[in-house]
Amino acid sequence: MTTTERTSPAFRFPGRLAEGAGLVLGPALILAGVLLRVEFGDFFPEQLAAFAGSPVLMTASYSAFVAGVVLLWPAVAAVTRRIGASRPGWAMWGGGLVTAGLFARVFHAGVNHLAFQLVDVEGLEAARRAVRDQYGAFHVFQPLNLAVFSGWTVLALGAWRAGVFGAGVTGTARCVALGLMSAMPLGVLKGTGPMSIVAAAGLCVALVPLGVTVLKAGPAPRWWTYPLAVALGVGAVLLGTAG
């Protein structure tokens, strides 16, 4: 028996629940992360100073944002598959570019984390100097900046052409809202500006209703999956913090 014969034709990775959760939680966490640091300046000196003065708030902000970015990959898979049903070319390019851009944002989040730890270990001025002196240094993800900017626009156009969000004004408006994510600032230690809020809110408008529809489209998880998920989450946190 071949691998193809052993695989159920109904199986889709990552699955309905992961896609639905990503569509709802990914945009919501990104919007929360953006709003939590709205009172601070946009660029790295102000962001480092904000961490020095409000470490819990800034940690929550940046953690929520990157968690939302990670949760977007199943969300993008859900949208891409729907586009691919009628517009496979748009699906391939839009989904590929957006996914590559998500990788780049996770890399930036790692640099952000290191910069914040420098504030604790070396002090604010030393951290500012280290970031300033190395800002713009080459790394392998730099070429993906184009994907970060263009991917959401291509994905939005594909969703519009495929009618993923429905026909008429509402569907078109949600496609435009999805494309607004291209305006989200990228790079290291970026604060919140007007376009950050617009981009994150647009992502919520576009994806959250689809996520609710996806989650309602099938049976709820069995009762034991909830305590199991909590136990696995707690175990993962404890194992991670233990090193």
Side-chain angles (χ1 to χ4, degrees):
M1 183 179 293
T2 66
T3 302
T4 302
E5 291 171 336
R6 291 197 302 267
T7 303
S8 168
F11 175 77
R12 291 197 306 260
F13 181 80
R16 178 180 62 86
L17 294 178
E19 292 175 4
L23 287 161
V24 173
L25 295 177
L29 285 169
I30 286 176
L31 180 60
V34 164
L35 293 177
L36 283 171
R37 56 180 182 264
V38 70
E39 64 184 285
F40 305 111
D42 291 352
F43 299 108
F44 75 86
E46 293 87 356
Q47 293 293 292
L48 292 172
F51 178 82
S54 304
V56 175
L57 177 63
M58 293 298 285
T59 298
S61 171
Y62 278 83
S63 297
F65 187 92
V66 72
V69 167
V70 172
L71 285 170
L72 280 182
W73 80 262
V76 171
V79 175
T80 300
R81 190 176 63 256
R82 285 164 173 78
I83 296 172
S86 60
R87 306 286 180 178
W90 285 96
M92 180 184 69
W93 282 102
L97 287 169
V98 170
T99 303
L102 296 179
F103 285 133
R105 288 196 181 275
V106 172
F107 173 81
H108 296 150
V111 179
N112 295 338
H113 176 76
L114 176 60
F116 287 147
Q117 304 320 300
L118 285 175
V119 174
D120 279 340
V121 175
E122 301 291 341
L124 177 57
E125 290 307 316
R128 281 177 171 171
R129 185 166 56 253
V131 174
R132 182 195 65 220
D133 292 347
Q134 296 299 319
Y135 210 88
F138 174 79
H139 55 79
V140 71
F141 289 98
Q142 279 180 334
L144 296 184
N145 287 350
L146 178 62
V148 176
F149 281 123
S150 64
W152 292 103
T153 300
V154 176
L155 192 71
L157 286 170
W160 175 68
R161 297 200 65 186
V164 170
F165 300 125
V169 175
T170 300
T172 300
R174 287 176 63 188
C175 291
V176 172
L178 182 66
L180 290 174
M181 189 61 182
S182 292
M184 180 68 73
L186 79 158
V188 173
L189 295 171
K190 289 296 192 294
T192 297
M195 290 311 300
S196 305
I197 299 173
V198 169
L203 194 65
C204 290
V205 169
L207 297 187
V208 171
L210 178 60
V212 173
T213 300
V214 169
L215 290 173
K216 288 182 176 179
R222 297 184 179 181
W223 68 267
W224 50 264
T225 60
Y226 297 103
L228 177 62
V230 172
L232 289 174
V234 171
V237 170
L238 294 175
L239 183 63
T241 54

